Amino acid sequence: MNLLDQLKRHTIVVADTGDFQAMDAYKPQDATTNPSLILGAVQKDAYRPILTRVVGEHRAASMDEIIDRLLIAFGKEILDIVPGRVSTEVDARLSFDTAGTVARARKLIAMYEAEGIERDRVLIKIASTWEGIRAAEILERDKIRCNMTLLFSLVQAAACAEAGARLISPFVGRIYDWYKKSAGANWDEAANAGVNDPGVRSVSAIYRYYKHFGHDTEVMGASFRSTGQILALSGCDLLTISPALLEQLRTTEGEVKRQLDVKDARSADIARVKTDEPSFRFALNDDAMATEKLAEGIRAFAADAIKLEGLIDAAR
């Protein structure tokens, strides 16, 4: 069997793309999008008509509404392909605005429901800032399910679980990038591969923490740089994977062993993380990697949202 089919025995596979035409060959359960992926998709000839149609139908609407309608247009197409859920992201510029995030998420869900899509098939992606986590806490009480993104540390994960978030997306590849860049010439790729990869170690620790303390929040590893990182997290609840890496898995034969196990996590000796606001902010600040990658991610997604606005203005 190929690696992709074997991986599906241990883990739910999710497609990480706005290119919904590329999904069908891999039969993912769910799909995730973000501003960068949607920006990339609408610049392709195959998807430019979606942008043109949405702008044409809502030319007089506000920029925020046009962007939301564009996100939902892609979300609907994706949900015609995957049997599960699609993740749609709130504007990254609201990452430190709890009320603004809640309002935008409710609007997105209302728009999906107006299109006949049940809210259980949508995950609202929110940055894992303190303010974003508080927004998720409010939204989950209204049965609006949240996917907490830009997550790089155990304290973020613990706070998301205690807030009742449905799912988290810890970023494997971006953690790897930071440690590799920090080590410079001293980086040893072989010594930091597989289960020793710093991004893999981070997600593994979060998985064990959740299973040890009985948290229901799902763990979905994200942002992969290689199939080696993916296979080292076999057994994680979900893994969201780009089409390029899905293709590598689909066209490679080999054996996939489960790496993460609930029984092992439950028997481990793990200390509970403090998640009150002062403890959260200090722990996040004390983690240079998590602090830098969170800020960098918010900036990048915000910049791509601005580029998307430029495309919309040009199409008006």
Side-chain angles (χ1 to χ4, degrees):
M1 292 178 64
N2 65 56
L3 296 178
L4 180 58
D5 286 342
Q6 288 192 68
L7 179 65
K8 289 178 179 179
R9 292 178 169 181
H10 308 297
T11 292
I12 294 173
V13 170
V14 179
D16 190 18
T17 180
D19 184 357
F20 53 82
Q21 293 179 0
M23 292 180 191
D24 202 36
Y26 310 111
K27 307 300 180 187
Q29 174 68 23
D30 296 349
T32 59
T33 64
N34 63 43
S36 301
L37 294 174
I38 297 298
L39 175 65
V42 297
Q43 294 179 83
K44 296 180 179 180
D45 290 342
Y47 300 114
R48 195 169 292 114
I50 296 178
L51 174 65
T52 302
R53 173 175 59 79
V54 169
V55 172
E57 291 175 353
H58 306 283
R59 201 176 301 276
S62 68
M63 180 63 73
D64 285 351
E65 181 171 348
I66 293 174
I67 287 178
D68 287 348
R69 291 194 178 279
L70 182 63
L71 296 178
I72 287 165
F74 272 87
K76 284 183 62 184
E77 295 283 357
I78 289 168
L79 288 173
D80 283 341
I81 297 169
V82 302
R85 305 167 295 187
V86 67
S87 291
T88 298
E89 192 150 347
V90 169
D91 193 322
R93 290 168 290 185
L94 296 172
S95 294
F96 303 101
D97 182 348
T98 297
T101 296
V102 169
R104 196 70 171 266
R106 285 175 173 161
K107 182 181 177 184
L108 284 166
I109 288 295
M111 293 168 78
Y112 267 116
E113 290 181 330
E115 295 289 338
I117 305 296
E118 296 180 358
R119 65 178 58 191
D120 285 348
R121 297 199 70 198
V122 180
L123 292 168
I124 299 297
K125 289 181 76 174
I126 300 171
S128 299
T129 58
W130 176 260
E131 295 80 5
I133 295 168
R134 300 282 68 81
E137 189 172 36
I138 294 167
L139 292 166
E140 289 283 354
R141 290 200 292 264
D142 291 341
K143 300 189 184 305
I144 297 174
R145 305 309 181 198
C146 300
N147 172 353
M148 306 307 294
T149 188
L150 294 174
L151 194 148
F152 303 97
S153 67
L154 183 57
V155 72
Q156 288 175 290
C160 289
E162 292 187 12
R166 169 55 56 197
L167 182 147
I168 62 167
S169 298
F171 278 26
V172 178
R174 298 193 191 193
I175 294 174
Y176 163 87
D177 293 343
W178 190 92
Y179 280 100
K180 183 175 182 178
K181 181 179 179 180
S182 180
N186 295 321
W187 178 258
D188 186 335
E189 187 66 36
N192 290 286
V195 296
N196 295 319
D197 182 295
V200 170
R201 290 201 309 268
S202 177
V203 177
S204 298
I206 290 169
Y207 176 91
R208 288 193 299 271
Y209 185 90
Y210 275 20
K211 305 312 177 187
H212 182 80
F213 289 108
H215 291 303
D216 292 332
T217 300
E218 302 166 40
V219 182
M220 181 172 71
S223 175
F224 291 104
R225 301 292 179 258
S226 68
T227 58
Q229 291 176 334
I230 294 166
L231 298 179
L233 288 170
S234 174
C236 194
D237 298 330
L238 307 95
L239 298 174
T240 183
I241 306 169
S242 69
L245 292 177
L246 285 169
E247 181 64 14
Q248 288 185 36
L249 292 168
R250 189 176 70 91
T251 56
T252 305
E253 293 186 0
E255 184 179 3
V256 178
K257 295 182 179 179
R258 176 182 286 273
Q259 299 294 336
L260 302 183
D261 187 84
V262 173
K263 292 181 180 178
D264 292 342
R266 286 174 178 165
S267 62
D269 183 15
I270 300 175
R272 190 177 288 277
V273 174
K274 293 182 179 179
T275 60
D276 59 276
E277 184 173 359
S279 297
F280 175 92
R281 292 194 184 279
F282 185 84
L284 186 57
N285 180 76
D286 207 36
D287 187 333
M289 177 277 296
T291 299
E292 291 173 22
K293 298 308 288 186
L294 173 60
E296 179 186 272
I298 292 171
R299 287 195 300 269
F301 284 161
D304 282 344
I306 292 170
K307 291 177 185 176
L308 187 56
E309 290 176 350
L311 293 178
I312 290 170
D313 275 335
R316 279 178 160 177

mmCIF file with all atom_site columns, all heavy atoms in Angstrom, residues 118-139:
data_model
loop_
_atom_site.group_PDB
_atom_site.id
_atom_site.type_symbol
_atom_site.label_atom_id
_atom_site.label_alt_id
_atom_site.label_comp_id
_atom_site.label_asym_id
_atom_site.label_entity_id
_atom_site.label_seq_id
_atom_site.pdbx_PDB_ins_code
_atom_site.Cartn_x
_atom_site.Cartn_y
_atom_site.Cartn_z
_atom_site.occupancy
_atom_site.B_iso_or_equiv
_atom_site.pdbx_formal_charge
_atom_site.auth_seq_id
_atom_site.auth_comp_id
_atom_site.auth_asym_id
_atom_site.auth_atom_id
_atom_site.pdbx_PDB_model_num
ATOM 1   N N   . GLU A 1 118 ? -24.649 23.583 7.073  1.00 0.00 ? 118 GLU A N   1
ATOM 2   C CA  . GLU A 1 118 ? -24.812 23.501 8.523  1.00 0.00 ? 118 GLU A CA  1
ATOM 3   C C   . GLU A 1 118 ? -23.526 23.892 9.237  1.00 0.00 ? 118 GLU A C   1
ATOM 4   O O   . GLU A 1 118 ? -22.427 23.596 8.767  1.00 0.00 ? 118 GLU A O   1
ATOM 5   C CB  . GLU A 1 118 ? -25.215 22.079 8.920  1.00 0.00 ? 118 GLU A CB  1
ATOM 6   C CG  . GLU A 1 118 ? -26.567 21.657 8.364  1.00 0.00 ? 118 GLU A CG  1
ATOM 7   C CD  . GLU A 1 118 ? -26.938 20.246 8.764  1.00 0.00 ? 118 GLU A CD  1
ATOM 8   O OE1 . GLU A 1 118 ? -26.120 19.584 9.443  1.00 0.00 ? 118 GLU A OE1 1
ATOM 9   O OE2 . GLU A 1 118 ? -28.046 19.799 8.398  1.00 0.00 ? 118 GLU A OE2 1
ATOM 10  N N   . ARG A 1 119 ? -23.674 24.534 10.394 1.00 0.00 ? 119 ARG A N   1
ATOM 11  C CA  . ARG A 1 119 ? -22.503 25.032 11.104 1.00 0.00 ? 119 ARG A CA  1
ATOM 12  C C   . ARG A 1 119 ? -21.566 23.922 11.567 1.00 0.00 ? 119 ARG A C   1
ATOM 13  O O   . ARG A 1 119 ? -20.367 24.160 11.769 1.00 0.00 ? 119 ARG A O   1
ATOM 14  C CB  . ARG A 1 119 ? -22.904 25.923 12.273 1.00 0.00 ? 119 ARG A CB  1
ATOM 15  C CG  . ARG A 1 119 ? -23.667 25.252 13.390 1.00 0.00 ? 119 ARG A CG  1
ATOM 16  C CD  . ARG A 1 119 ? -23.958 26.253 14.520 1.00 0.00 ? 119 ARG A CD  1
ATOM 17  N NE  . ARG A 1 119 ? -24.723 27.401 14.038 1.00 0.00 ? 119 ARG A NE  1
ATOM 18  C CZ  . ARG A 1 119 ? -24.922 28.508 14.766 1.00 0.00 ? 119 ARG A CZ  1
ATOM 19  N NH1 . ARG A 1 119 ? -24.438 28.596 15.999 1.00 0.00 ? 119 ARG A NH1 1
ATOM 20  N NH2 . ARG A 1 119 ? -25.631 29.500 14.273 1.00 0.00 ? 119 ARG A NH2 1
ATOM 21  N N   . ASP A 1 120 ? -22.082 22.710 11.724 1.00 0.00 ? 120 ASP A N   1
ATOM 22  C CA  . ASP A 1 120 ? -21.228 21.604 12.132 1.00 0.00 ? 120 ASP A CA  1
ATOM 23  C C   . ASP A 1 120 ? -20.194 21.239 11.068 1.00 0.00 ? 120 ASP A C   1
ATOM 24  O O   . ASP A 1 120 ? -19.227 20.534 11.364 1.00 0.00 ? 120 ASP A O   1
ATOM 25  C CB  . ASP A 1 120 ? -22.069 20.361 12.449 1.00 0.00 ? 120 ASP A CB  1
ATOM 26  C CG  . ASP A 1 120 ? -22.801 20.468 13.778 1.00 0.00 ? 120 ASP A CG  1
ATOM 27  O OD1 . ASP A 1 120 ? -22.473 21.402 14.549 1.00 0.00 ? 120 ASP A OD1 1
ATOM 28  O OD2 . ASP A 1 120 ? -23.682 19.647 14.047 1.00 0.00 ? 120 ASP A OD2 1
ATOM 29  N N   . ARG A 1 121 ? -20.390 21.721 9.841  1.00 0.00 ? 121 ARG A N   1
ATOM 30  C CA  . ARG A 1 121 ? -19.442 21.416 8.767  1.00 0.00 ? 121 ARG A CA  1
ATOM 31  C C   . ARG A 1 121 ? -18.400 22.513 8.580  1.00 0.00 ? 121 ARG A C   1
ATOM 32  O O   . ARG A 1 121 ? -17.565 22.440 7.665  1.00 0.00 ? 121 ARG A O   1
ATOM 33  C CB  . ARG A 1 121 ? -20.179 21.191 7.446  1.00 0.00 ? 121 ARG A CB  1
ATOM 34  C CG  . ARG A 1 121 ? -21.129 19.998 7.459  1.00 0.00 ? 121 ARG A CG  1
ATOM 35  C CD  . ARG A 1 121 ? -21.444 19.564 6.050  1.00 0.00 ? 121 ARG A CD  1
ATOM 36  N NE  . ARG A 1 121 ? -20.280 18.960 5.405  1.00 0.00 ? 121 ARG A NE  1
ATOM 37  C CZ  . ARG A 1 121 ? -20.152 18.802 4.084  1.00 0.00 ? 121 ARG A CZ  1
ATOM 38  N NH1 . ARG A 1 121 ? -21.124 19.218 3.276  1.00 0.00 ? 121 ARG A NH1 1
ATOM 39  N NH2 . ARG A 1 121 ? -19.072 18.249 3.566  1.00 0.00 ? 121 ARG A NH2 1
ATOM 40  N N   . VAL A 1 122 ? -18.418 23.509 9.479  1.00 0.00 ? 122 VAL A N   1
ATOM 41  C CA  . VAL A 1 122 ? -17.502 24.641 9.360  1.00 0.00 ? 122 VAL A CA  1
ATOM 42  C C   . VAL A 1 122 ? -16.710 24.801 10.656 1.00 0.00 ? 122 VAL A C   1
ATOM 43  O O   . VAL A 1 122 ? -17.270 24.745 11.752 1.00 0.00 ? 122 VAL A O   1
ATOM 44  C CB  . VAL A 1 122 ? -18.264 25.947 9.062  1.00 0.00 ? 122 VAL A CB  1
ATOM 45  C CG1 . VAL A 1 122 ? -17.301 27.124 8.947  1.00 0.00 ? 122 VAL A CG1 1
ATOM 46  C CG2 . VAL A 1 122 ? -19.104 25.812 7.792  1.00 0.00 ? 122 VAL A CG2 1
ATOM 47  N N   . LEU A 1 123 ? -15.411 24.995 10.511 1.00 0.00 ? 123 LEU A N   1
ATOM 48  C CA  . LEU A 1 123 ? -14.558 25.380 11.630 1.00 0.00 ? 123 LEU A CA  1
ATOM 49  C C   . LEU A 1 123 ? -14.065 26.797 11.357 1.00 0.00 ? 123 LEU A C   1
ATOM 50  O O   . LEU A 1 123 ? -13.545 27.087 10.274 1.00 0.00 ? 123 LEU A O   1
ATOM 51  C CB  . LEU A 1 123 ? -13.359 24.439 11.760 1.00 0.00 ? 123 LEU A CB  1
ATOM 52  C CG  . LEU A 1 123 ? -13.656 23.001 12.193 1.00 0.00 ? 123 LEU A CG  1
ATOM 53  C CD1 . LEU A 1 123 ? -12.420 22.131 11.990 1.00 0.00 ? 123 LEU A CD1 1
ATOM 54  C CD2 . LEU A 1 123 ? -14.102 22.957 13.641 1.00 0.00 ? 123 LEU A CD2 1
ATOM 55  N N   . ILE A 1 124 ? -14.229 27.675 12.333 1.00 0.00 ? 124 ILE A N   1
ATOM 56  C CA  . ILE A 1 124 ? -13.744 29.046 12.207 1.00 0.00 ? 124 ILE A CA  1
ATOM 57  C C   . ILE A 1 124 ? -12.316 29.110 12.742 1.00 0.00 ? 124 ILE A C   1
ATOM 58  O O   . ILE A 1 124 ? -12.061 28.806 13.902 1.00 0.00 ? 124 ILE A O   1
ATOM 59  C CB  . ILE A 1 124 ? -14.650 30.026 12.975 1.00 0.00 ? 124 ILE A CB  1
ATOM 60  C CG1 . ILE A 1 124 ? -16.083 29.994 12.422 1.00 0.00 ? 124 ILE A CG1 1
ATOM 61  C CG2 . ILE A 1 124 ? -14.065 31.438 12.900 1.00 0.00 ? 124 ILE A CG2 1
ATOM 62  C CD1 . ILE A 1 124 ? -16.209 30.426 10.988 1.00 0.00 ? 124 ILE A CD1 1
ATOM 63  N N   . LYS A 1 125 ? -11.383 29.504 11.863 1.00 0.00 ? 125 LYS A N   1
ATOM 64  C CA  . LYS A 1 125 ? -9.979  29.571 12.264 1.00 0.00 ? 125 LYS A CA  1
ATOM 65  C C   . LYS A 1 125 ? -9.678  30.910 12.924 1.00 0.00 ? 125 LYS A C   1
ATOM 66  O O   . LYS A 1 125 ? -9.997  31.973 12.384 1.00 0.00 ? 125 LYS A O   1
ATOM 67  C CB  . LYS A 1 125 ? -9.065  29.373 11.054 1.00 0.00 ? 125 LYS A CB  1
ATOM 68  C CG  . LYS A 1 125 ? -9.059  27.962 10.518 1.00 0.00 ? 125 LYS A CG  1
ATOM 69  C CD  . LYS A 1 125 ? -8.120  27.801 9.347  1.00 0.00 ? 125 LYS A CD  1
ATOM 70  C CE  . LYS A 1 125 ? -6.675  27.738 9.771  1.00 0.00 ? 125 LYS A CE  1
ATOM 71  N NZ  . LYS A 1 125 ? -5.773  27.440 8.619  1.00 0.00 ? 125 LYS A NZ  1
ATOM 72  N N   . ILE A 1 126 ? -9.033  30.814 14.081 1.00 0.00 ? 126 ILE A N   1
ATOM 73  C CA  . ILE A 1 126 ? -8.728  31.996 14.887 1.00 0.00 ? 126 ILE A CA  1
ATOM 74  C C   . ILE A 1 126 ? -7.297  31.871 15.395 1.00 0.00 ? 126 ILE A C   1
ATOM 75  O O   . ILE A 1 126 ? -6.884  30.795 15.840 1.00 0.00 ? 126 ILE A O   1
ATOM 76  C CB  . ILE A 1 126 ? -9.698  32.097 16.087 1.00 0.00 ? 126 ILE A CB  1
ATOM 77  C CG1 . ILE A 1 126 ? -11.149 32.208 15.609 1.00 0.00 ? 126 ILE A CG1 1
ATOM 78  C CG2 . ILE A 1 126 ? -9.335  33.261 16.989 1.00 0.00 ? 126 ILE A CG2 1
ATOM 79  C CD1 . ILE A 1 126 ? -12.174 32.085 16.719 1.00 0.00 ? 126 ILE A CD1 1
ATOM 80  N N   . ALA A 1 127 ? -6.546  32.955 15.378 1.00 0.00 ? 127 ALA A N   1
ATOM 81  C CA  . ALA A 1 127 ? -5.182  32.941 15.907 1.00 0.00 ? 127 ALA A CA  1
ATOM 82  C C   . ALA A 1 127 ? -5.201  32.664 17.410 1.00 0.00 ? 127 ALA A C   1
ATOM 83  O O   . ALA A 1 127 ? -6.073  33.164 18.133 1.00 0.00 ? 127 ALA A O   1
ATOM 84  C CB  . ALA A 1 127 ? -4.492  34.270 15.635 1.00 0.00 ? 127 ALA A CB  1
ATOM 85  N N   . SER A 1 128 ? -4.227  31.883 17.878 1.00 0.00 ? 128 SER A N   1
ATOM 86  C CA  . SER A 1 128 ? -4.185  31.459 19.283 1.00 0.00 ? 128 SER A CA  1
ATOM 87  C C   . SER A 1 128 ? -3.508  32.491 20.180 1.00 0.00 ? 128 SER A C   1
ATOM 88  O O   . SER A 1 128 ? -2.582  32.193 20.943 1.00 0.00 ? 128 SER A O   1
ATOM 89  C CB  . SER A 1 128 ? -3.477  30.107 19.391 1.00 0.00 ? 128 SER A CB  1
ATOM 90  O OG  . SER A 1 128 ? -4.152  29.121 18.667 1.00 0.00 ? 128 SER A OG  1
ATOM 91  N N   . THR A 1 129 ? -3.965  33.742 20.062 1.00 0.00 ? 129 THR A N   1
ATOM 92  C CA  . THR A 1 129 ? -3.600  34.784 21.018 1.00 0.00 ? 129 THR A CA  1
ATOM 93  C C   . THR A 1 129 ? -4.509  34.650 22.239 1.00 0.00 ? 129 THR A C   1
ATOM 94  O O   . THR A 1 129 ? -5.510  33.925 22.207 1.00 0.00 ? 129 THR A O   1
ATOM 95  C CB  . THR A 1 129 ? -3.803  36.168 20.393 1.00 0.00 ? 129 THR A CB  1
ATOM 96  O OG1 . THR A 1 129 ? -5.194  36.275 19.992 1.00 0.00 ? 129 THR A OG1 1
ATOM 97  C CG2 . THR A 1 129 ? -2.922  36.379 19.169 1.00 0.00 ? 129 THR A CG2 1
ATOM 98  N N   . TRP A 1 130 ? -4.198  35.371 23.297 1.00 0.00 ? 130 TRP A N   1
ATOM 99  C CA  . TRP A 1 130 ? -5.093  35.362 24.465 1.00 0.00 ? 130 TRP A CA  1
ATOM 100 C C   . TRP A 1 130 ? -6.490  35.819 24.054 1.00 0.00 ? 130 TRP A C   1
ATOM 101 O O   . TRP A 1 130 ? -7.498  35.205 24.429 1.00 0.00 ? 130 TRP A O   1
ATOM 102 C CB  . TRP A 1 130 ? -4.544  36.259 25.571 1.00 0.00 ? 130 TRP A CB  1
ATOM 103 C CG  . TRP A 1 130 ? -5.459  36.356 26.753 1.00 0.00 ? 130 TRP A CG  1
ATOM 104 C CD1 . TRP A 1 130 ? -6.333  37.364 27.051 1.00 0.00 ? 130 TRP A CD1 1
ATOM 105 C CD2 . TRP A 1 130 ? -5.625  35.360 27.785 1.00 0.00 ? 130 TRP A CD2 1
ATOM 106 N NE1 . TRP A 1 130 ? -7.032  37.071 28.191 1.00 0.00 ? 130 TRP A NE1 1
ATOM 107 C CE2 . TRP A 1 130 ? -6.612  35.847 28.673 1.00 0.00 ? 130 TRP A CE2 1
ATOM 108 C CE3 . TRP A 1 130 ? -5.035  34.126 28.041 1.00 0.00 ? 130 TRP A CE3 1
ATOM 109 C CZ2 . TRP A 1 130 ? -7.019  35.148 29.790 1.00 0.00 ? 130 TRP A CZ2 1
ATOM 110 C CZ3 . TRP A 1 130 ? -5.440  33.419 29.167 1.00 0.00 ? 130 TRP A CZ3 1
ATOM 111 C CH2 . TRP A 1 130 ? -6.424  33.922 30.030 1.00 0.00 ? 130 TRP A CH2 1
ATOM 112 N N   . GLU A 1 131 ? -6.547  36.895 23.244 1.00 0.00 ? 131 GLU A N   1
ATOM 113 C CA  . GLU A 1 131 ? -7.835  37.438 22.824 1.00 0.00 ? 131 GLU A CA  1
ATOM 114 C C   . GLU A 1 131 ? -8.569  36.476 21.898 1.00 0.00 ? 131 GLU A C   1
ATOM 115 O O   . GLU A 1 131 ? -9.794  36.333 21.963 1.00 0.00 ? 131 GLU A O   1
ATOM 116 C CB  . GLU A 1 131 ? -7.617  38.785 22.120 1.00 0.00 ? 131 GLU A CB  1
ATOM 117 C CG  . GLU A 1 131 ? -7.069  39.877 23.025 1.00 0.00 ? 131 GLU A CG  1
ATOM 118 C CD  . GLU A 1 131 ? -5.568  39.797 23.264 1.00 0.00 ? 131 GLU A CD  1
ATOM 119 O OE1 . GLU A 1 131 ? -4.893  38.934 22.642 1.00 0.00 ? 131 GLU A OE1 1
ATOM 120 O OE2 . GLU A 1 131 ? -5.050  40.596 24.070 1.00 0.00 ? 131 GLU A OE2 1
ATOM 121 N N   . GLY A 1 132 ? -7.832  35.797 21.029 1.00 0.00 ? 132 GLY A N   1
ATOM 122 C CA  . GLY A 1 132 ? -8.452  34.825 20.141 1.00 0.00 ? 132 GLY A CA  1
ATOM 123 C C   . GLY A 1 132 ? -9.021  33.637 20.899 1.00 0.00 ? 132 GLY A C   1
ATOM 124 O O   . GLY A 1 132 ? -10.108 33.128 20.566 1.00 0.00 ? 132 GLY A O   1
ATOM 125 N N   . ILE A 1 133 ? -8.310  33.203 21.917 1.00 0.00 ? 133 ILE A N   1
ATOM 126 C CA  . ILE A 1 133 ? -8.781  32.076 22.728 1.00 0.00 ? 133 ILE A CA  1
ATOM 127 C C   . ILE A 1 133 ? -10.042 32.449 23.493 1.00 0.00 ? 133 ILE A C   1
ATOM 128 O O   . ILE A 1 133 ? -10.981 31.656 23.617 1.00 0.00 ? 133 ILE A O   1
ATOM 129 C CB  . ILE A 1 133 ? -7.664  31.594 23.674 1.00 0.00 ? 133 ILE A CB  1
ATOM 130 C CG1 . ILE A 1 133 ? -6.500  31.021 22.855 1.00 0.00 ? 133 ILE A CG1 1
ATOM 131 C CG2 . ILE A 1 133 ? -8.184  30.539 24.650 1.00 0.00 ? 133 ILE A CG2 1
ATOM 132 C CD1 . ILE A 1 133 ? -5.234  30.777 23.647 1.00 0.00 ? 133 ILE A CD1 1
ATOM 133 N N   . ARG A 1 134 ? -10.100 33.665 23.981 1.00 0.00 ? 134 ARG A N   1
ATOM 134 C CA  . ARG A 1 134 ? -11.321 34.122 24.669 1.00 0.00 ? 134 ARG A CA  1
ATOM 135 C C   . ARG A 1 134 ? -12.502 34.198 23.688 1.00 0.00 ? 134 ARG A C   1
ATOM 136 O O   . ARG A 1 134 ? -13.643 33.894 24.037 1.00 0.00 ? 134 ARG A O   1
ATOM 137 C CB  . ARG A 1 134 ? -11.079 35.494 25.313 1.00 0.00 ? 134 ARG A CB  1
ATOM 138 C CG  . ARG A 1 134 ? -9.955  35.512 26.340 1.00 0.00 ? 134 ARG A CG  1
ATOM 139 C CD  . ARG A 1 134 ? -10.359 34.923 27.693 1.00 0.00 ? 134 ARG A CD  1
ATOM 140 N NE  . ARG A 1 134 ? -10.610 33.506 27.700 1.00 0.00 ? 134 ARG A NE  1
ATOM 141 C CZ  . ARG A 1 134 ? -9.641  32.561 27.766 1.00 0.00 ? 134 ARG A CZ  1
ATOM 142 N NH1 . ARG A 1 134 ? -8.374  32.914 27.770 1.00 0.00 ? 134 ARG A NH1 1
ATOM 143 N NH2 . ARG A 1 134 ? -9.950  31.284 27.810 1.00 0.00 ? 134 ARG A NH2 1
ATOM 144 N N   . ALA A 1 135 ? -12.220 34.585 22.443 1.00 0.00 ? 135 ALA A N   1
ATOM 145 C CA  . ALA A 1 135 ? -13.279 34.607 21.437 1.00 0.00 ? 135 ALA A CA  1
ATOM 146 C C   . ALA A 1 135 ? -13.794 33.195 21.177 1.00 0.00 ? 135 ALA A C   1
ATOM 147 O O   . ALA A 1 135 ? -15.010 32.970 21.083 1.00 0.00 ? 135 ALA A O   1
ATOM 148 C CB  . ALA A 1 135 ? -12.757 35.229 20.141 1.00 0.00 ? 135 ALA A CB  1
ATOM 149 N N   . ALA A 1 136 ? -12.880 32.244 21.086 1.00 0.00 ? 136 ALA A N   1
ATOM 150 C CA  . ALA A 1 136 ? -13.285 30.849 20.864 1.00 0.00 ? 136 ALA A CA  1
ATOM 151 C C   . ALA A 1 136 ? -14.145 30.339 22.011 1.00 0.00 ? 136 ALA A C   1
ATOM 152 O O   . ALA A 1 136 ? -15.115 29.598 21.792 1.00 0.00 ? 136 ALA A O   1
ATOM 153 C CB  . ALA A 1 136 ? -12.047 29.978 20.700 1.00 0.00 ? 136 ALA A CB  1
ATOM 154 N N   . GLU A 1 137 ? -13.817 30.738 23.213 1.00 0.00 ? 137 GLU A N   1
ATOM 155 C CA  . GLU A 1 137 ? -14.589 30.320 24.384 1.00 0.00 ? 137 GLU A CA  1
ATOM 156 C C   . GLU A 1 137 ? -16.040 30.771 24.267 1.00 0.00 ? 137 GLU A C   1
ATOM 157 O O   . GLU A 1 137 ? -16.973 30.020 24.577 1.00 0.00 ? 137 GLU A O   1
ATOM 158 C CB  . GLU A 1 137 ? -13.945 30.900 25.642 1.00 0.00 ? 137 GLU A CB  1
ATOM 159 C CG  . GLU A 1 137 ? -14.492 30.388 26.953 1.00 0.00 ? 137 GLU A CG  1
ATOM 160 C CD  . GLU A 1 137 ? -13.657 30.872 28.119 1.00 0.00 ? 137 GLU A CD  1
ATOM 161 O OE1 . GLU A 1 137 ? -13.151 32.022 28.082 1.00 0.00 ? 137 GLU A OE1 1
ATOM 162 O OE2 . GLU A 1 137 ? -13.494 30.099 29.085 1.00 0.00 ? 137 GLU A OE2 1
ATOM 163 N N   . ILE A 1 138 ? -16.234 31.991 23.778 1.00 0.00 ? 138 ILE A N   1
ATOM 164 C CA  . ILE A 1 138 ? -17.582 32.536 23.585 1.00 0.00 ? 138 ILE A CA  1
ATOM 165 C C   . ILE A 1 138 ? -18.284 31.812 22.439 1.00 0.00 ? 138 ILE A C   1
ATOM 166 O O   . ILE A 1 138 ? -19.438 31.401 22.549 1.00 0.00 ? 138 ILE A O   1
ATOM 167 C CB  . ILE A 1 138 ? -17.507 34.053 23.304 1.00 0.00 ? 138 ILE A CB  1
ATOM 168 C CG1 . ILE A 1 138 ? -16.975 34.792 24.539 1.00 0.00 ? 138 ILE A CG1 1
ATOM 169 C CG2 . ILE A 1 138 ? -18.873 34.595 22.886 1.00 0.00 ? 138 ILE A CG2 1
ATOM 170 C CD1 . ILE A 1 138 ? -16.571 36.235 24.257 1.00 0.00 ? 138 ILE A CD1 1
ATOM 171 N N   . LEU A 1 139 ? -17.584 31.633 21.333 1.00 0.00 ? 139 LEU A N   1
ATOM 172 C CA  . LEU A 1 139 ? -18.183 31.038 20.145 1.00 0.00 ? 139 LEU A CA  1
ATOM 173 C C   . LEU A 1 139 ? -18.567 29.582 20.367 1.00 0.00 ? 139 LEU A C   1
ATOM 174 O O   . LEU A 1 139 ? -19.627 29.136 19.900 1.00 0.00 ? 139 LEU A O   1
ATOM 175 C CB  . LEU A 1 139 ? -17.210 31.155 18.970 1.00 0.00 ? 139 LEU A CB  1
ATOM 176 C CG  . LEU A 1 139 ? -16.961 32.581 18.474 1.00 0.00 ? 139 LEU A CG  1
ATOM 177 C CD1 . LEU A 1 139 ? -15.744 32.624 17.556 1.00 0.00 ? 139 LEU A CD1 1
ATOM 178 C CD2 . LEU A 1 139 ? -18.195 33.126 17.755 1.00 0.00 ? 139 LEU A CD2 1
#
